[in-house]
Amino acid sequence: MTEAQRIDGKAFADSLRGRLTQEVAALKRDHGLTPGLAVILVGEDPASQIYVRNKGLQTEACGMLSVTHRLSATTPQAELVALVEALNADATIHGILVQLPLPDSFDSDAVIAAIDPAKDVDGLHVVNAGLLATNQPALTPCTPLGSMLLLKDALGDLTGLHAVVIGRSNLVGKPIAQLLLQANCTVTMAHSRTRDLAALCRQADILVAAVGRPEMVRGDWIKPGATVIDVGINRVPARDPALAAEGKTRVVGDVAFDEAVKVAGQITPVPGGVGPMTIACLLQNTVTAAKRIAKI
Ligand code: NDP
């Protein structure tokens, strides 16, 4: 039996960053414009610290300006909002990202609402969500954008395909569904209240899993030959019981890869699939925002 083709998100992200590096060099040379990204990290969450460090390193590696603001978890909300407003007014900054999740004491919606929509490179402001929903040029959330780039590269024209998206978050599920709709797919959105999810998934030409439940989607949920995009990032105990006993972990997706790879036509692995695309698309959104602000 032939196995599904692996969709190599790492290679795609590497080449996207290469193209962006060239574009940034051209913007500097021809327009004196250096795109700038400001990331705000509140609190000490270890995973967020790693993401923020990687974002900063990759932004600089592309030739862009990278600024990171680290605030303590006890910072008053008004101070965080004042920082966002100062960055809105800063002409050297074209993209503002507030690393989520914020500590519980913060009102995330209010903080996101304070970001200038033109600089909202995470695409989470209601203005950008509305633009996306009405097919107008928006800053689109990075993971959905990255998933779509991989899908279009793998399949070309998506017209008429039935896409099932499991998950309806504002960050992932909903914007992916909007993008699939824009690409002329017939889209079904599933969530925790969906009945007979497995049977629904078996109808999908494209199956997107954005759930946050390790290996929930089994091989027999997948239509033979379907394209599977696994957005999930879940940390589970290491396979080796001795290592697991030492607290060692591994990362798995929302899809049982070993089963799915025997049924699907194409599939994103975890790690190495959608994950690497997220930061690459953040850099792309920052370049897009800088060009729109500078009217280039
Ligand atoms: P959320 O927790 O915000 O949303 C999860 C969604 O899954 C909800 O809509 C929920 O339904 C649905 N769901 C939960 N349980 C089930 C179930 N048993 N059956 C069907 N649907 C279910 O998560 P996110 O959207 O933020 O993230 C989803 C996954 O993607 C996570 O693993 C996360 O780590 C990963 N992720 C990966 C990124 C990357 O860079 N690759 C970036 C962002 C996220 P309901 O609405 O009914 O509760």
Side-chain angles (χ1 to χ4, degrees):
M1 192 193 277
T2 52
E3 287 207 337
Q5 190 185 329
R6 268 79 158 170
I7 297 174
D8 188 344
K10 186 178 176 310
F12 195 104
D14 285 348
S15 91
L16 176 56
R17 275 197 306 272
R19 290 198 297 278
L20 289 169
T21 305
Q22 287 176 7
E23 189 171 1
V24 168
L27 286 171
K28 284 185 192 175
R29 187 185 61 231
D30 300 339
H31 301 278
L33 174 65
T34 301
L37 172 65
V39 176
I40 304 175
L41 173 62
V42 184
E44 308 287 331
D45 179 61
S48 293
Q49 288 186 353
I50 294 169
Y51 288 139
V52 166
R53 207 189 71 223
N54 286 340
K55 283 169 185 170
L57 291 172
Q58 292 190 31
T59 306
E60 280 170 11
C62 268
M64 296 194 247
L65 170 69
S66 164
V67 180
T68 304
H69 294 269
R70 291 185 167 78
L71 305 182
S72 102
T74 57
T75 304
Q77 164 114 357
E79 203 174 300
L80 173 57
V81 169
L83 173 58
V84 168
E85 286 169 350
L87 293 168
N88 286 342
D90 184 338
T92 67
I93 296 298
H94 308 93
I96 302 169
L97 182 147
V98 178
Q99 183 67 39
L100 300 176
L102 286 169
D104 288 344
S105 57
F106 289 87
D107 176 351
S108 299
D109 289 342
V111 174
I112 290 164
I115 299 172
D116 178 349
K119 297 188 177 186
D120 167 39
V121 282
D122 236 357
L124 292 176
H125 194 289
V126 288
V127 166
N128 280 311
L131 290 170
L132 177 63
T134 51
N135 292 349
Q136 299 179 70
L139 287 168
T140 307
C142 303
T143 305
L145 187 59
S147 302
M148 284 305 289
L149 290 176
L150 293 180
L151 262 177
K152 286 186 175 166
D153 186 59
L155 293 177
D157 186 6
L158 308 184
T159 299
L161 297 178
H162 183 199
V164 172
V165 180
I166 321 174
R168 56 176 166 178
S169 69
N170 293 336
L171 183 64
V172 191
K174 275 188 210 146
I176 288 190
Q178 298 282 4
L179 291 168
L180 288 162
L181 205 52
Q182 274 183 14
N184 299 318
C185 290
T186 302
V187 182
T188 305
M189 294 194 69
H191 45 77
S192 65
R193 313 293 173 88
T194 297
R195 290 188 193 156
D196 205 355
L197 182 60
L200 183 67
C201 291
R202 275 193 287 274
Q203 296 172 25
D205 303 306
I206 296 170
L207 181 59
V208 180
V211 187
R213 296 194 181 269
E215 302 183 321
M216 184 185 84
V217 176
R218 311 309 308 188
D220 64 1
W221 295 25
I222 295 166
K223 175 159 113 178
T227 301
V228 177
I229 301 291
D230 188 354
V231 181
I233 299 179
N234 309 289
R235 207 159 266 290
V236 297
R239 267 188 217 277
D240 181 336
L243 292 175
E246 288 172 20
K248 295 276 190 296
T249 58
R250 66 193 169 103
V251 171
V252 298
D254 291 338
V255 177
F257 184 86
D258 293 348
E259 296 174 15
V261 77
K262 295 182 184 135
V263 188
Q266 307 196 60
I267 185 167
T268 56
V270 177
V274 174
M277 292 299 290
T278 298
I279 297 183
C281 287
L282 172 67
L283 305 180
Q284 175 166 298
N285 276 350
T286 305
V287 171
T288 301
K291 283 163 54 184
R292 284 186 191 154
I293 290 167
K295 299 196 167 39
I296 294 169

